[in-house]
Amino acid sequence: MTPVELSRTVLRAVRCAVDEGELNVVVPVRAVVTSPGPGGCGDYATNIALQLARPAGRSARQVAEILRPHLTRSDGVADVAITGPGFLNFRLGGGAGAALVREIQLQGDVYGHGDVLSGQIVPLLIPIPYDIRAEVVADALVRIVAAQGGRAEVQHLHAPRIQPPRIHLSRIHPPHVETSRTKPPHTELTHPEAPHAHPSRPKPTPLRPTPAPEDPTPLGPDAGRWALLYPASHDRPRISADHLLQRESNPLFRVRYAHARARALIRNAAALGCTGDPGDVPGVDELVGALAGYPAVLTQAALHRAPDRLARHLVTTADALLAFQHTVLPFGDEKPSAAHRARLALAEAAGTVLAGGLSLLGISAPDYL
């Protein structure tokens, strides 16, 4: 069962409770399903009981108790536990990981893309004179917002200064990026927050990340972008040659190396006449959880204008893949089995997610590293 399918299962449980007179609420349009938070358990969790508590006139715990029997009778759900104030935690039956891998195989690089911002224009305002970190954050957000069905437009309150050398404008504003530059704030008609601004346009989101202490462009386009995107916007980015080191201490290296390892496993498996086939893989809860949580991370990165959330999730996914990758292929004279094919399909799915996430950040994902 995939997160999307589990979300539908949750909504069906709510509808059953309403039809049977146990709850008097309007069935919501969607139910958010994520990885369990602190204190949670199992494979997935939802806060639907907290969402329905007030309209139902009950405590969230009572709503969760009403929904639990309907959920435990659902196909693919092995157990449901209630934690905290009323979170419902699911342990899925067999095939959950296999279904997730099939979904990633089907969707490819667009796995995790959604429509939460469908048809919306998201204005991004750079309110300070030219700052390379603000430009790179805006560029990443254009792609992340587009992945959720929206369209980001980058506006400049001040005309940018002459660009420093070695900054490639094609990497800052690709051809599909729509930008506009406003005049200084004393010109009311063109100020993004002026009273005469078009009333139907949403208020711009100011991008004010802590500036980089020095020019990151000597690191190159990939490491330079990572150095600016990986820290949260309020944290000062670290600009050093450490981002270029091919060591485990370098998060960017681990992400790109994990992707390269996934590609190498596919090549080596092909030499053995083995291809991936989704199936149950025990002991990989961390990796499956990271892959399942990727769509929610993309949504949050878009809604909160926070590409750092995506970058950090890629590190989590990469670390889980690197811890697992040694078990994928047969050893010695061992023949490829169904277990190897299932592990290979999972590793391939992880590589797909890593490549897709890096692409949204504007960073390359080489097959060889």
Side-chain angles (χ1 to χ4, degrees), residues 103-244:
E103 182 180 358
I104 296 173
Q105 287 180 335
L106 180 64
Q107 298 188 24
D109 288 345
V110 299
Y111 168 69
H113 292 206
D115 58 0
V116 70
L117 295 175
S118 179
Q120 296 186 34
I121 295 177
V122 179
L124 303 173
L125 172 65
I126 299 181
I128 54 179
Y130 183 78
D131 174 72
I132 188 171
R133 190 180 185 196
E135 297 286 344
V136 169
V137 168
D139 177 52
L141 285 175
V142 167
R143 282 184 290 273
I144 293 172
V145 167
Q148 297 301 313
R151 180 164 64 93
E153 295 181 351
V154 182
Q155 305 171 4
H156 294 80
L157 190 57
H158 302 271
R161 301 172 185 170
I162 297 176
Q163 316 295 351
R166 294 172 293 184
I167 293 180
H168 304 290
L169 288 179
S170 61
R171 297 193 65 83
I172 298 297
H173 293 304
H176 68 276
V177 178
E178 300 217 8
T179 65
S180 63
R181 293 188 181 128
T182 61
K183 293 183 180 180
H186 64 269
T187 308
E188 291 187 351
L189 291 178
T190 57
H191 191 292
E193 301 183 15
H196 302 289
H198 196 286
S200 65
R201 295 184 62 83
K203 184 177 180 180
T205 300
L207 299 180
R208 297 189 182 93
T210 301
E214 56 189 283
D215 182 10
T217 53
L219 297 177
D222 288 329
R225 291 178 71 88
W226 180 268
L228 299 175
L229 294 173
Y230 180 66
S233 62
H234 57 270
D235 291 333
R236 188 177 186 184
R238 180 175 52 85
I239 308 301
S240 74
D242 291 347
H243 294 292
L244 300 173

Side-chain angles (χ1 to χ4, degrees), residues 109 113 294 310 314 351-361:
D109 288 345
H113 292 206
Y294 178 72
L310 171 58
L314 293 180
T352 297
V353 168
L354 292 173
L358 286 172
S359 176
L360 290 176
L361 296 176

Side-chain angles (χ1 to χ4, degrees), residues 226 230 238 242-245 247-258 311-312 314-316 318-319 322 354 358:
W226 180 268
Y230 180 66
R238 180 175 52 85
D242 291 347
H243 294 292
L244 300 173
L245 296 178
R247 296 179 182 172
E248 290 185 2
S249 59
N250 179 4
L252 174 60
F253 169 71
R254 297 205 305 275
V255 172
R256 300 174 86 203
Y257 178 65
R312 290 195 297 272
L314 293 180
V315 175
T316 299
D319 289 344
L322 291 174
L354 292 173
L358 286 172

Side-chain angles (χ1 to χ4, degrees), residues 324-351:
F324 156 75
Q325 49 113 7
H326 302 290
T327 69
V328 172
L329 296 182
F331 287 96
D333 296 332
E334 189 180 7
K335 299 297 182 182
S337 65
H340 294 115
R341 290 190 287 273
R343 294 176 198 144
L344 179 62
L346 178 58
E348 185 176 3

